[in-house]
C-alpha cells in the first residue's frame, strides 16, 4: 500500500510523463492518484483525492498553477505543493512564498534536485504524521485519566482532605483557572 499520494499538474504531456516515470522509478511508496493538464482540473483532482503532494506547473491553461494553489489553500487543502516551472520571474516566486509553497523547482530541473525535494517533503510529511499521532495518544490518555482524576478530587473533598495538586493538574488539562469556588454534594439518607 502506498505511503503517500501525489498529483502531477502540467500542461505539457511530455513533462507529465517524465515526472510520472521519475516518481514511479524512485518512489515506490508514492501512488500517483491523478494527473491534470490545467489549473481547473488540478483544483478538482486535489479536492477529490486530497493528496499528500502535488507537483504543479505555473503556466497552465484556465487557472494558472499559483492561482489554483491559492484557491485550494483558501479552501483548507492540506496538500503540500511543489512548483515545477520554467518561470523564474520575481512575481511568481513572491506569490509562491506568500502561499508557503513547500518547494520551487526551475525547469529543466536536475533529476537529483527533484528527487531530493520529494524525499525532503516525504520526511516532513512523516514528521507531521508522527506529531498528529502523538497528539492523538496524549488526548486519548487525558480522556482515560479525566474520570479518575474527577473521582479522586471529589473523594478528597468528601473526606475533608482536598487534593489540591490533582485539582491543579485537572485545571491545567482543561486550561481552566479558578480564583474561588464552592462544591455541594447531595448524599441520600436512608430512612
Amino acid at each position: 500500500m502506498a505511503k503517500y499520494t501525489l498529483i502531477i499538474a502540467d500542461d505539457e504531456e511530455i513533462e507529465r510523463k517524465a515526472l510520472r516515470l521519475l516518481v514511479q522509478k524512485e518512489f515506490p511508496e508514492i501512488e500517483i492518484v491523478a494527473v491534470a493538464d490545467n489549473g481547473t482540473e488540478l483544483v478538482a483532482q486535489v479536492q477529490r483525492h486530497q493528496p499528500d503532494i502535488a507537483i504543479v506547473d505555473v503556466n497552465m491553461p484556465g487557472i494558472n498553477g499559483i492561482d489554483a494553489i491559492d484557491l485550494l489553500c483558501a479552501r483548507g487543502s492540506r496538500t503540500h505543493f511543489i512548483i515545477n516551472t520554467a518561470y523564474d520571474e520575481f512575481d511568481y516566486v513572491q506569490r509562491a512564498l506568500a502561499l508557503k509553497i513547500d518547494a520551487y523547482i526551475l525547469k529543466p530541473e536536475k533529476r537529483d534536485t527533484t528527487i531530493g525535494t520529494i524525499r525532503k517533503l516525504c520526511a516532513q510529511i512523516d514528521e507531521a504524521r508522527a506529531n498528529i499521532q502523538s497528539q492523538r495518544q496524549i488526548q486519548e490518555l487525558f480522556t482515560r485519566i479525566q474520570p479518575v482524576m474527577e473521582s479522586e478530587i471529589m473523594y478528597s473533598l468528601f473526606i475533608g482532605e482536598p487534593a489540591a495538586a490533582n485539582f491543579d493538574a485537572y485545571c491545567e488539562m482543561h486550561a481552566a483557572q479558578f480564583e474561588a469556588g464552592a462544591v455541594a454534594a447531595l448524599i441520600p439518607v436512608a430512612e
Side-chain angles (χ1 to χ4, degrees):
M1 186 173 158
K3 190 173 179 185
Y4 313 98
T5 54
L6 179 130
I7 289 178
I8 297 170
D10 199 302
D11 62 329
E12 296 176 28
E13 184 177 358
I14 193 157
E15 187 67 28
R16 289 191 309 268
K17 286 182 179 180
L19 281 169
R20 179 185 283 276
L21 289 172
L22 175 75
V23 170
Q24 288 173 335
K25 181 178 183 210
E26 296 293 330
F27 300 95
E29 69 275 20
I30 296 178
E31 176 187 359
I32 299 171
V33 292
V35 293
D37 61 7
N38 62 62
T40 305
E41 190 177 350
L42 169 65
V43 171
Q45 294 294 355
V46 167
Q47 289 181 318
R48 179 174 178 217
H49 296 286
Q50 297 297 312
D52 297 307
I53 304 167
I55 301 175
V56 181
D57 186 18
V58 170
N59 194 17
M60 294 188 291
I63 319 174
N64 71 41
I66 298 281
D67 289 338
I69 293 169
D70 190 16
L71 179 63
L72 287 162
C73 289
R75 292 181 179 175
S77 175
R78 292 185 170 176
T79 298
H80 295 267
F81 295 99
I82 298 172
I83 296 289
N84 184 38
T85 186
Y87 294 92
D88 63 352
E89 295 175 19
F90 183 70
D91 279 352
Y92 288 128
V93 175
Q94 189 176 26
R95 285 196 63 207
L97 288 173
L99 290 172
K100 299 181 181 164
I101 299 299
D102 295 279
Y104 197 100
I105 301 173
L106 288 174
K107 294 179 191 175
E109 75 280 351
K110 292 182 179 175
R111 177 183 171 88
D112 291 344
T113 301
T114 303
I115 291 169
T117 300
I118 295 170
R119 282 201 200 292
K120 181 179 173 188
L121 196 49
C122 289
Q124 290 173 358
I125 291 168
D126 285 343
E127 185 177 328
R129 286 177 178 169
N131 287 340
I132 289 169
Q133 181 63 26
S134 176
Q135 290 299 320
R136 283 185 187 145
Q137 289 172 341
I138 290 169
Q139 185 60 43
E140 185 179 309
L141 181 61
F142 280 156
T143 302
R144 281 192 254 144
I145 291 173
Q146 181 175 338
V148 173
M149 287 183 76
E150 290 170 352
S151 294
E152 190 172 316
I153 291 168
M154 290 304 292
Y155 179 72
S156 72
L157 292 172
F158 288 137
I159 64 170
E161 297 173 11
N166 289 346
F167 183 73
D168 291 342
Y170 180 84
C171 289
E172 188 176 329
M173 275 178 35
H174 294 286
Q177 293 181 345
F178 292 98
E179 297 292 325
V183 175
L186 301 175
I187 303 172
V189 178
E191 290 184 29

